[in-house]
Amino acid sequence: QNVSFSKEIVPIFENNCLRCHNGTTTAGGVGQFRPSHLNFTREKLFETMVNQKSLQKPTLTLVIPKDSANSLIYLKMSQDTPPVGTRMPQVGSFLSEQDIVKIKVWIDEGALNN
């Protein structure tokens, strides 16, 4: 059974990423505005991530369908020292192991917009 993008992945990003990666907030709501390298909206979340190059390092791709090991978003959420930048999220707790696995499986299943 495939991981559902709309039912399982979108809520993870809404609860953990959109507070900072939305183009309008201050860094975690606690200081001066720091523009994000990546700005999400719920409506354009899929288009913003899948097969999109990183603005931090254009040789990297945010989500490569069927290849979590080389998908920057997965690496930034699962590694203490990702290939660029820092582990996400910077504000609050890191994602649970369960949420990280869901993102990995979703990517490895083909990063479907389902």
Side-chain angles (χ1 to χ4, degrees), residues 3-11 13 42 45-47 49-50 106 111-114:
V3 173
S4 169
F5 178 73
S6 61
K7 293 179 183 171
E8 298 176 77
I9 302 302
V10 170
F13 279 83
R42 187 187 203 302
L45 185 58
F46 184 84
E47 294 86 357
M49 294 190 305
V50 178
W106 171 72
L112 303 174
N113 190 5
N114 56 357

Side-chain angles (χ1 to χ4, degrees), residues 19-84:
R19 67 177 165 234
C20 294
H21 290 281
N22 64 23
T24 61
T25 66
T26 60
V30 292
Q32 70 187 73
F33 177 76
R34 294 190 325 191
S36 170
H37 290 285
L38 183 60
N39 295 313
F40 294 126
T41 64
R42 187 187 203 302
E43 298 76 27
K44 301 256 185 203
L45 185 58
F46 184 84
E47 294 86 357
T48 304
M49 294 190 305
V50 178
N51 292 315
Q52 298 300 313
K53 296 295 181 188
S54 165
L55 295 176
Q56 286 180 293
K57 189 171 184 180
T59 57
L60 300 173
T61 301
L62 299 177
V63 172
I64 303 168
K66 298 188 178 189
D67 189 3
S68 62
N70 290 299
S71 293
L72 184 58
I73 285 198
Y74 171 72
L75 298 174
K76 287 187 71 94
M77 294 176 174
S78 64
Q79 296 182 349
D80 288 333
T81 54
V84 65

